[in-house]
mmCIF file of all heavy atoms in Angstrom:
data_model
loop_
_atom_site.group_PDB
_atom_site.id
_atom_site.type_symbol
_atom_site.label_atom_id
_atom_site.label_comp_id
_atom_site.label_asym_id
_atom_site.label_seq_id
_atom_site.Cartn_x
_atom_site.Cartn_y
_atom_site.Cartn_z
ATOM 1 N N HIS G 273 -4.331 -41.715 61.372
ATOM 2 C CA HIS G 273 -3.095 -42.245 60.796
ATOM 3 C C HIS G 273 -1.915 -41.852 61.676
ATOM 4 O O HIS G 273 -1.731 -40.675 61.992
ATOM 5 C CB HIS G 273 -2.913 -41.695 59.383
ATOM 6 C CG HIS G 273 -1.574 -41.995 58.789
ATOM 7 N ND1 HIS G 273 -1.178 -43.276 58.479
ATOM 8 C CD2 HIS G 273 -0.530 -41.170 58.456
ATOM 9 C CE1 HIS G 273 0.047 -43.243 57.973
ATOM 10 N NE2 HIS G 273 0.458 -41.971 57.955
ATOM 11 N N ARG G 274 -1.125 -42.809 62.108
ATOM 12 C CA ARG G 274 0.028 -42.550 62.967
ATOM 13 C C ARG G 274 1.232 -42.135 62.141
ATOM 14 O O ARG G 274 1.534 -42.732 61.106
ATOM 15 C CB ARG G 274 0.376 -43.788 63.792
ATOM 16 C CG ARG G 274 -0.684 -44.229 64.770
ATOM 17 C CD ARG G 274 -0.884 -43.227 65.898
ATOM 18 N NE ARG G 274 0.341 -42.955 66.634
ATOM 19 C CZ ARG G 274 0.804 -43.717 67.641
ATOM 20 N NH1 ARG G 274 0.121 -44.786 68.011
ATOM 21 N NH2 ARG G 274 1.904 -43.401 68.274
ATOM 22 N N THR G 275 1.924 -41.110 62.593
ATOM 23 C CA THR G 275 3.121 -40.637 61.895
ATOM 24 C C THR G 275 4.372 -40.788 62.740
ATOM 25 O O THR G 275 5.487 -40.691 62.223
ATOM 26 C CB THR G 275 2.970 -39.151 61.510
ATOM 27 O OG1 THR G 275 2.937 -38.349 62.699
ATOM 28 C CG2 THR G 275 1.701 -38.924 60.711
ATOM 29 N N GLY G 276 4.201 -40.972 64.069
ATOM 30 C CA GLY G 276 5.354 -41.085 64.949
ATOM 31 C C GLY G 276 6.078 -39.767 65.164
ATOM 32 O O GLY G 276 7.234 -39.764 65.587
ATOM 33 N N ARG G 277 5.379 -38.633 64.938
ATOM 34 C CA ARG G 277 6.013 -37.320 65.080
ATOM 35 C C ARG G 277 5.096 -36.376 65.853
ATOM 36 O O ARG G 277 3.863 -36.485 65.791
ATOM 37 C CB ARG G 277 6.357 -36.710 63.723
ATOM 38 C CG ARG G 277 7.225 -37.603 62.844
ATOM 39 C CD ARG G 277 7.847 -36.826 61.695
ATOM 40 N NE ARG G 277 8.854 -35.866 62.160
ATOM 41 C CZ ARG G 277 10.094 -36.196 62.507
ATOM 42 N NH1 ARG G 277 10.488 -37.462 62.455
ATOM 43 N NH2 ARG G 277 10.941 -35.276 62.907
ATOM 44 N N VAL G 278 5.711 -35.441 66.568
ATOM 45 C CA VAL G 278 5.007 -34.399 67.307
ATOM 46 C C VAL G 278 5.577 -33.051 66.890
ATOM 47 O O VAL G 278 6.801 -32.912 66.723
ATOM 48 C CB VAL G 278 5.157 -34.592 68.834
ATOM 49 C CG1 VAL G 278 4.701 -33.353 69.596
ATOM 50 C CG2 VAL G 278 4.362 -35.805 69.298
ATOM 51 N N LEU G 279 4.706 -32.072 66.713
ATOM 52 C CA LEU G 279 5.153 -30.714 66.385
ATOM 53 C C LEU G 279 5.112 -29.849 67.633
ATOM 54 O O LEU G 279 4.084 -29.757 68.310
ATOM 55 C CB LEU G 279 4.254 -30.100 65.307
ATOM 56 C CG LEU G 279 4.609 -28.661 64.895
ATOM 57 C CD1 LEU G 279 5.983 -28.616 64.227
ATOM 58 C CD2 LEU G 279 3.542 -28.067 63.977
ATOM 59 N N ILE G 280 6.251 -29.209 67.942
ATOM 60 C CA ILE G 280 6.323 -28.226 69.025
ATOM 61 C C ILE G 280 6.193 -26.841 68.424
ATOM 62 O O ILE G 280 6.959 -26.470 67.524
ATOM 63 C CB ILE G 280 7.648 -28.338 69.801
ATOM 64 C CG1 ILE G 280 7.789 -29.721 70.439
ATOM 65 C CG2 ILE G 280 7.738 -27.250 70.864
ATOM 66 C CD1 ILE G 280 9.147 -29.939 71.089
ATOM 67 N N ILE G 281 5.217 -26.077 68.911
ATOM 68 C CA ILE G 281 5.002 -24.707 68.436
ATOM 69 C C ILE G 281 5.381 -23.764 69.566
ATOM 70 O O ILE G 281 4.744 -23.749 70.623
ATOM 71 C CB ILE G 281 3.535 -24.483 68.035
ATOM 72 C CG1 ILE G 281 3.085 -25.523 67.002
ATOM 73 C CG2 ILE G 281 3.339 -23.074 67.480
ATOM 74 C CD1 ILE G 281 1.584 -25.538 66.771
ATOM 75 N N TYR G 282 6.434 -22.990 69.351
ATOM 76 C CA TYR G 282 6.901 -22.056 70.377
ATOM 77 C C TYR G 282 6.353 -20.668 70.083
ATOM 78 O O TYR G 282 6.705 -20.051 69.086
ATOM 79 C CB TYR G 282 8.431 -22.032 70.429
ATOM 80 C CG TYR G 282 8.980 -20.980 71.370
ATOM 81 C CD1 TYR G 282 8.622 -20.979 72.716
ATOM 82 C CD2 TYR G 282 9.856 -19.995 70.920
ATOM 83 C CE1 TYR G 282 9.115 -20.020 73.582
ATOM 84 C CE2 TYR G 282 10.366 -19.033 71.784
ATOM 85 C CZ TYR G 282 9.991 -19.045 73.118
ATOM 86 O OH TYR G 282 10.475 -18.100 73.976
ATOM 87 N N THR G 283 5.472 -20.178 70.965
ATOM 88 C CA THR G 283 4.899 -18.848 70.783
ATOM 89 C C THR G 283 5.684 -17.782 71.541
ATOM 90 O O THR G 283 5.655 -16.601 71.176
ATOM 91 C CB THR G 283 3.442 -18.809 71.274
ATOM 92 O OG1 THR G 283 3.412 -18.992 72.696
ATOM 93 C CG2 THR G 283 2.610 -19.886 70.597
ATOM 94 N N GLY G 284 6.365 -18.187 72.590
ATOM 95 C CA GLY G 284 7.075 -17.263 73.468
ATOM 96 C C GLY G 284 6.908 -17.726 74.901
ATOM 97 O O GLY G 284 6.438 -18.827 75.167
ATOM 98 N N GLY G 285 7.294 -16.889 75.841
ATOM 99 C CA GLY G 285 7.126 -17.235 77.248
ATOM 100 C C GLY G 285 8.420 -17.624 77.921
ATOM 101 O O GLY G 285 9.461 -17.821 77.290
ATOM 102 N N THR G 286 8.343 -17.774 79.240
ATOM 103 C CA THR G 286 9.517 -18.016 80.077
ATOM 104 C C THR G 286 10.276 -19.270 79.670
ATOM 105 O O THR G 286 11.515 -19.300 79.703
ATOM 106 C CB THR G 286 9.089 -18.127 81.551
ATOM 107 O OG1 THR G 286 8.482 -16.907 81.956
ATOM 108 C CG2 THR G 286 10.289 -18.407 82.445
ATOM 109 N N ILE G 287 9.558 -20.326 79.273
ATOM 110 C CA ILE G 287 10.220 -21.592 78.977
ATOM 111 C C ILE G 287 11.280 -21.449 77.888
ATOM 112 O O ILE G 287 12.284 -22.145 77.901
ATOM 113 C CB ILE G 287 9.184 -22.668 78.572
ATOM 114 C CG1 ILE G 287 9.842 -24.058 78.555
ATOM 115 C CG2 ILE G 287 8.497 -22.333 77.259
ATOM 116 C CD1 ILE G 287 8.858 -25.199 78.399
ATOM 117 N N GLY G 288 11.081 -20.547 76.964
ATOM 118 C CA GLY G 288 12.000 -20.411 75.846
ATOM 119 C C GLY G 288 13.027 -19.307 76.001
ATOM 120 O O GLY G 288 13.644 -18.885 75.019
ATOM 121 N N MET G 289 13.220 -18.837 77.221
ATOM 122 C CA MET G 289 14.201 -17.767 77.447
ATOM 123 C C MET G 289 15.557 -18.356 77.815
ATOM 124 O O MET G 289 15.642 -19.366 78.512
ATOM 125 C CB MET G 289 13.724 -16.839 78.562
ATOM 126 C CG MET G 289 12.341 -16.249 78.342
ATOM 127 S SD MET G 289 12.212 -15.239 76.851
ATOM 128 C CE MET G 289 13.050 -13.755 77.393
ATOM 129 N N GLY G 290 16.591 -17.734 77.315
ATOM 130 C CA GLY G 290 17.955 -18.100 77.677
ATOM 131 C C GLY G 290 18.720 -16.856 78.084
ATOM 132 O O GLY G 290 18.335 -15.735 77.752
ATOM 133 N N ARG G 291 19.825 -17.042 78.813
ATOM 134 C CA ARG G 291 20.582 -15.897 79.292
ATOM 135 C C ARG G 291 21.726 -15.579 78.327
ATOM 136 O O ARG G 291 22.538 -16.442 77.990
ATOM 137 C CB ARG G 291 21.129 -16.159 80.693
ATOM 138 C CG ARG G 291 21.631 -14.892 81.401
ATOM 139 C CD ARG G 291 21.903 -15.151 82.869
ATOM 140 N NE ARG G 291 20.717 -15.541 83.600
ATOM 141 C CZ ARG G 291 19.785 -14.688 84.039
ATOM 142 N NH1 ARG G 291 19.906 -13.392 83.792
ATOM 143 N NH2 ARG G 291 18.751 -15.137 84.716
ATOM 144 N N ASN G 292 21.769 -14.350 77.863
ATOM 145 C CA ASN G 292 22.838 -13.886 76.995
ATOM 146 C C ASN G 292 24.140 -13.836 77.792
ATOM 147 O O ASN G 292 24.220 -13.161 78.826
ATOM 148 C CB ASN G 292 22.495 -12.490 76.440
ATOM 149 C CG ASN G 292 23.488 -12.011 75.410
ATOM 150 O OD1 ASN G 292 24.677 -11.927 75.668
ATOM 151 N ND2 ASN G 292 22.981 -11.659 74.230
ATOM 152 N N VAL G 293 25.156 -14.566 77.324
ATOM 153 C CA VAL G 293 26.399 -14.678 78.088
ATOM 154 C C VAL G 293 27.136 -13.348 78.161
ATOM 155 O O VAL G 293 27.950 -13.136 79.070
ATOM 156 C CB VAL G 293 27.315 -15.752 77.464
ATOM 157 C CG1 VAL G 293 26.695 -17.132 77.613
ATOM 158 C CG2 VAL G 293 27.606 -15.454 75.993
#
Side-chain angles (χ1 to χ4, degrees):
H273 171 67
R274 296 293 303 276
T275 67
R277 305 196 69 78
V278 167
L279 179 65
I280 299 174
I281 305 168
Y282 174 58
T283 67
T286 299
I287 192 170
M289 305 299 284
R291 194 169 298 280
N292 186 303
V293 293

